[in-house]
Amino acid sequence: MNSIVKYIFLFAIHTSSSDWVSDWMNPVQNQFEDQQSTPVYDLLKSVMDHDTDLQTSTSLYESYKNDGKIRENNEISTDALKTKLENTIRNSKILAETLKTQIDVITARENALKDAIANGRFGVTSATVSTLGQVPRSYIIRDGRWTLCTSLIQTSAEPLTGPRCTGQEVSVKRDPCAFNSVIKYETIPTQRRLLYVEDDYLCLKTNFKDTLERYLSVTTRILNETCVNGTLRSLADNVLECGIRTLTEYTFYPQGSSSFKLPLEYCAEGDGSCKLIVAWHISNATIENFEFFKNEQEFKNYFMKSGPYFNRIF
């Protein structure tokens, strides 16, 4: 039954372009189209739905009616798929460029705020530097100048008035354990050894960077050329002076009209101040950096504690 119906249907389509056949087939075709709601049509449609080849013939027939010509079904699908893929790829590229631009803008705004906080620009910053094996040190930073507070630092009851040292303020250099980015070098030894082992050096810098730079098998000349405006220190000296973990907690109080150029939406403290935590874990096995724009008390407590918990989460 399927073969007979299929043959009649395909034969009608194939021969309908002939004049003598058209005269005979057109009334039949018109009647077939007018009777699409009849049980005969429903039966024929049911047969078509269960026959893949007949479905293809139906699609070709519909294409013939709409376009006036028969096109291969696979060609139609391929063209549509190609167009859809090209549109998807084009839209994805546009979206990726838009996201990259937005990320760059947000990163630049965040770095501007972090730089202002760490250097006390457009306001005043109090900083507490914690390292393993040493008592935390407290500082007040104003426009890049650091003063050591010999006692406690207090804040005024009035919002954004700024911090105040209850003891004496002593002018000092920037704390050697408070750095914001690092470059790690493995240098070629200058003296022959029984075993070839490269020396580890660090370039500790005050500017914020999103990525950690690493240089492998370089000479000391590369250190001097790349560590500009930074502190060059061997890994052993850094561990001796600061331990393998350091944490600097900044509290920034924006002041003056210039501070409104900063993205102060990060300043979510009740008194309008900005919190910034910069923590480093540096050893011969790994270097990790953590930054938070808020008060992470739980993180601070665990980060500065040695023991199984630290090894488990880091």
Side-chain angles (χ1 to χ4, degrees), residues 20-178:
W20 69 273
V21 175
S22 296
D23 294 338
W24 181 78
M25 283 295 297
N26 284 340
V28 178
Q29 178 178 329
N30 294 334
Q31 183 179 2
F32 176 78
E33 293 176 348
D34 293 337
Q35 299 297 324
Q36 287 186 357
S37 62
T38 64
V40 176
Y41 173 78
D42 293 337
L43 175 62
L44 181 59
K45 185 176 184 300
S46 176
V47 174
M48 292 178 180
D49 290 341
H50 290 82
D51 193 303
T52 304
D53 293 336
L54 213 50
Q55 290 182 34
T56 303
S57 299
T58 305
S59 177
L60 291 173
Y61 176 63
E62 293 295 331
S63 177
Y64 166 77
K65 289 199 309 178
N66 295 333
D67 302 335
K69 60 180 179 179
I70 299 177
R71 297 178 59 189
E72 291 295 334
N73 209 27
N74 61 341
E75 291 182 0
I76 297 175
S77 300
T78 301
D79 291 343
L81 179 60
K82 180 181 178 182
T83 302
K84 186 174 181 179
L85 289 175
E86 289 175 347
N87 291 336
T88 301
I89 292 173
R90 182 169 57 253
N91 292 336
S92 298
K93 289 181 178 179
I94 295 173
L95 177 60
E97 289 299 322
T98 302
L99 290 176
K100 183 178 181 299
T101 301
Q102 293 177 346
I103 290 173
D104 291 342
V105 171
I106 293 174
T107 300
R109 286 172 57 83
E110 288 183 352
N111 285 338
L113 180 59
K114 288 191 289 188
D115 179 74
I117 292 174
N119 294 286
R121 306 190 193 283
F122 312 123
V124 182
T125 299
S126 65
T128 301
V129 181
S130 303
T131 57
L132 291 180
Q134 298 184 34
V135 177
R137 289 91 68 190
S138 297
Y139 302 91
I140 294 180
I141 310 169
R142 299 180 182 88
D143 198 19
R145 294 186 298 273
W146 286 55
T147 59
L148 175 66
C149 179
T150 59
S151 185
L152 298 177
I153 294 180
Q154 291 183 344
T155 57
S156 173
E158 297 181 8
L160 304 181
T161 300
R164 182 178 65 87
C165 178
T166 59
Q168 292 184 338
E169 289 189 40
V170 181
S171 296
V172 294
K173 293 183 178 180
R174 182 187 182 94
D175 191 291
C177 300

Side-chain angles (χ1 to χ4, degrees), residues 179-187 200-207 209 211-216 218 222-223 225-235 280 282 287:
F179 46 86
N180 305 321
S181 63
V182 60
I183 303 174
K184 185 176 184 296
Y185 308 86
E186 292 183 13
T187 61
D200 293 330
Y201 282 89
L202 306 173
C203 178
L204 308 175
K205 310 190 77 170
T206 60
N207 61 307
K209 300 183 69 174
T211 58
L212 171 67
E213 293 185 52
R214 297 178 184 271
Y215 292 86
L216 306 179
V218 298
I222 301 298
L223 275 67
E225 290 179 354
T226 57
C227 190
V228 180
N229 298 326
T231 302
L232 191 62
R233 188 184 302 162
S234 69
L235 177 59
W280 286 93
I282 299 180
I287 295 180

